[in-house]
Structures are given as C-alpha cells and as structure tokens.
Amino acid sequence: MEINVSRSCLAIFLMLFVSGLTQIRASDTIACYGKNSKCSKKKIICPSECPSRYPKDPKAKVCYVNCNSPLCQAECKNRKPNCNSPGSACLDPRFIGGDGIVFYFHGRKNEHFSLVSDRNLQINARFIGLRPQGRSRDYTWIQALGILFDSKTFSLEATPASSWDDSVDHLSLSYDNEPLAIAESHLSFWQCPETGFKVERTSSKNSVLITIPEVAEIAVNVVPVTKEDDRIHNYHIPENDCFAHLEVQFRFHGLSSRVEGVIGRTYRPDFENPAKLGVAMPVLGGDDRYRTTSLLVANCRDCLFSGAGVLADEQEDTVGVEYGMLDCSGSGASGNGMVCRK
C-alpha cells in the first residue's frame, strides 16, 4: 500500500514537473542584438503574465524587452493606446506627458501642430473639430498623424464617416506618399526592408502599432465621438459626421534633452510643467510655437527636425531613458496627479 502511495506521489510530482517545463517552453524567448544594445546576445524569457510577443488574443498584453535597458528583463505592455498612461493623446485632445502630468491642448480645427520635434524625428497632428454657436474656441480631435524620420515620411489618417461601424476599417495609411494596404487581420503587418519601419495591426481593423527601430513606437486606435460623449460635453456633433479620430500613445527611445512639440517638451529633463494638479482641465498653450503648414513638414517656429542622416544614437545630450506604454495609471485612475516619472 505504501509503495502504491509513493508511486502515486511520484507520478503526481512528475506530472507537475513536466507541466512546469511546458509552461516555461510555452513562453517566448527574446534575444537582443546590435552594437548599441546593453543586453546583446542575452536570451530573455517572457513572463507568464504575457508569455508571447504576438498573442492571438488582441486584448492580451505582449511580452517586450527594452534592449537598451541595463536590467535586460522582459515586461508586459499594452499594444493598444492606454489613455490613462504617459505618452498618450486621446479625447479632445487630452494629453499625459512624459512627466505623468495631464494637460489639454486645444489647437484649432483644420490646422496642423507638431506633437514631437527632435533632430531625428518629427510627429505632426492634424486637428479636426467644430465650434458650436456661442463658444469662444473649437472643440478639436486628432484626425491624422504625419511622421518624418531620416528621409522618409509616413502618414496615418482616420477616414471620415457619417456613422460608426466596427466592421469597417477607418484607417488610411501611406509611406513616402504611396498608399499602404495591410490585410485586415490581427497580426498582419508591413515592414520596409530598407529602414525596418513596421506597421502591424493589433486588431483586424482600426488599430495599429507603428515601430521606428531605436526611435519610437506608436500605438493608434480609431474611434468615433460617441453619442454619450456628445451628450456629456455638449459638442453638438452633426448627424452626418461621427468625427472619427485617433487615440494615440507614444513610446520613445533616446529623445534629446532639447526635444520640442506639444507633448515632446514634457520629456525634457528641464521642463517645468505649468499645469496645476487638481485642476479639471489644465491647458498648455504653444499653438503659435508648434503650428505647421501641413501634415508632413517640419516648419513650425520651434521645430528641430533636421532630416536625413541623423540617427537616435547620434543625437547629442540624449535623455537616455525609455518612456511610454507601461501602465502607470494604477486601477482606472483619471491620470490627474499621477506619478510616473521619467
């Protein structure tokens, strides 16, 4: 009888041991390469909370390794924008800067503004909006992004729609002024072999993740202004336009200490954010400093972008810290008063 019990225990132990090995092997292993990687040639296993770099479930977090971090550890991140975390730009539009402080930037409808301007990167936004009778300013939303890096350009737009339909893709993409089509399925992607620039769908429609190697990652959703938002904020959205717009979250690698732009300035180590904590809608200005004449130019008053030949690791005075898509918001907080420092 004792022998049988022992054998049973041994069998159970072996089953658990094999199960444990299976779980470990089920997790992806990430290896870092490149002369600038601090984790070069190290193999890093993804945690059980996010075992895959490319999960089949669009809602699952993904495994990610910052190869420039001395920690050389895998971490879980969101592939879609988290509007309550640093680096985000959502709603009308509500920003959370690299310093973790919430602010609003109103801009003007049908105009363009630089969100980020550095020597090797320029990110502009086109604003759409409306001004109901009796209001002194426009309600605005981000309708498009224009990205300049090296000598390349990329644009992403939320296409207009009279009403919202989840079964329709409302994204329009172009690379170097040529239309870019990506199959409408989760994990479909397009990558430029010359630059490594990558656009991948994080759901079959209306969500993508943009990767500029060693420079930035940008998560984007297309969403409408809902009837509930219209009721709460009294936007007066017309019946023939749902004002499809973008939710965006940025993750940067090695911005310079002089970076400019509506949200870019908040990543500067010397930036003192004038937005007051506890204020319902703290507004930061700068429309005169960051206005550009179109989506794919860097001609704002304080723009820094210098075009081809400037790589992230060639910039002087780089901040040297990565910011972005980790969830620093706690449990569903609004973001006001959040502490998630650079």
Side-chain angles (χ1 to χ4, degrees):
M1 185 67 180
E2 292 179 0
I3 294 176
N4 291 337
V5 171
S6 298
R7 287 178 177 173
S8 298
C9 291
L10 180 60
I12 292 172
F13 172 78
L14 287 173
M15 288 174 63
L16 292 174
F17 180 73
V18 171
S19 175
L21 286 179
T22 302
Q23 290 178 5
I24 292 173
R25 290 171 182 168
S27 295
D28 287 352
T29 299
I30 299 176
C32 293
Y33 299 97
K35 63 180 181 180
N36 296 320
S37 173
K38 299 183 183 298
C39 309
S40 183
K41 299 181 181 179
K42 292 186 178 180
K43 293 184 178 180
I44 303 165
I45 297 176
C46 296
S48 59
E49 296 82 2
C50 53
S52 175
R53 300 173 65 186
Y54 303 102
K56 294 181 179 179
D57 180 1
K59 297 181 180 179
K61 290 188 177 182
V62 299
C63 177
Y64 174 80
V65 173
N66 172 16
C67 289
N68 295 314
S69 169
L71 297 178
C72 299
Q73 294 178 348
E75 60 193 38
C76 298
K77 72 170 185 176
N78 297 299
R79 287 169 60 83
K80 294 187 179 182
N82 183 339
C83 292
N84 288 320
S85 282
S88 60
C90 304
L91 304 173
D92 59 345
R94 172 184 179 269
F95 291 85
I96 302 181
D99 53 7
I101 295 177
V102 176
F103 68 94
Y104 289 78
F105 177 84
H106 295 312
R108 295 180 183 175
K109 65 180 180 179
N110 303 323
E111 292 193 356
H112 305 84
F113 298 90
S114 170
L115 301 186
V116 178
S117 186
D118 213 350
R119 287 186 62 203
N120 70 319
L121 178 67
Q122 178 82 19
I123 303 175
N124 298 332
R126 178 190 299 134
F127 285 21
I128 55 171
L130 74 170
R131 184 182 299 190
Q133 186 175 359
R135 288 204 46 91
S136 59
R137 65 168 182 85
D138 298 333
Y139 288 118
T140 56
W141 296 269
I142 295 174
Q143 181 266 336
L145 292 180
I147 302 172
L148 295 83
F149 65 101
D150 199 6
S151 59
K152 305 297 182 181
T153 63
F154 173 78
S155 66
L156 178 153
E157 303 182 28
T159 56
S162 58
S163 60
W164 184 257
D165 184 349
D166 282 326
S167 66
V168 175
D169 189 42
H170 299 270
L171 276 171
S172 176
L173 312 171
S174 71
Y175 186 83
D176 272 355
N177 296 312
E178 294 292 332
L180 182 60
I182 303 176
E184 294 182 10
S185 61
H186 175 52
L187 300 182
S188 294
F189 71 92
W190 175 88
Q191 187 168 21
C192 175
E194 178 186 352
T195 63
F197 181 92
K198 186 177 182 179
V199 184
E200 53 188 310
R201 290 193 183 269
T202 51
S203 61
S204 61
K205 299 173 179 66
N206 298 312
S207 300
V208 293
L209 180 67
I210 302 158
T211 302
I212 310 172
E214 298 186 29
V215 177
E217 290 182 0
I218 308 167
V220 181
N221 270 343
V222 184
V223 294
V225 176
T226 66
K227 291 184 178 181
E228 181 65 10
D229 287 338
D230 187 25
R231 183 189 67 80
I232 292 173
H233 299 286
N234 201 27
Y235 291 137
H236 293 281
I237 299 295
E239 291 293 329
N240 63 347
D241 193 344
C242 68
F243 277 79
H245 62 280
L246 306 180
E247 294 178 335
V248 183
Q249 189 177 17
F250 301 102
R251 185 185 188 112
F252 299 110
H253 312 280
L255 292 172
S256 80
S257 62
R258 299 189 298 273
V259 61
E260 283 286 0
V262 173
I263 194 170
R265 57 187 162 176
T266 67
Y267 290 87
R268 296 175 60 149
D270 62 349
F271 181 71
E272 296 183 7
N273 201 319
K276 296 181 179 179
L277 297 178
V279 176
M281 288 189 66
V283 177
L284 294 191
D287 55 324
D288 57 331
R289 299 166 54 194
Y290 301 130
R291 182 183 289 106
T292 65
T293 55
S294 62
L295 191 63
L296 292 172
V297 297
N299 60 0
C300 69
R301 194 184 82 185
D302 288 356
C303 283
L304 302 178
F305 182 72
S306 57
V310 181
L311 301 176
D313 59 354
E314 293 176 346
Q315 294 193 96
E316 299 176 0
D317 301 324
T318 55
V319 174
V321 179
E322 178 188 85
Y323 321 101
M325 296 176 188
L326 298 185
D327 186 357
C328 303
S329 63
S331 56
S334 66
N336 289 300
M338 125 185 356
V339 178
C340 186
R341 293 293 179 182
K342 294 183 275 190

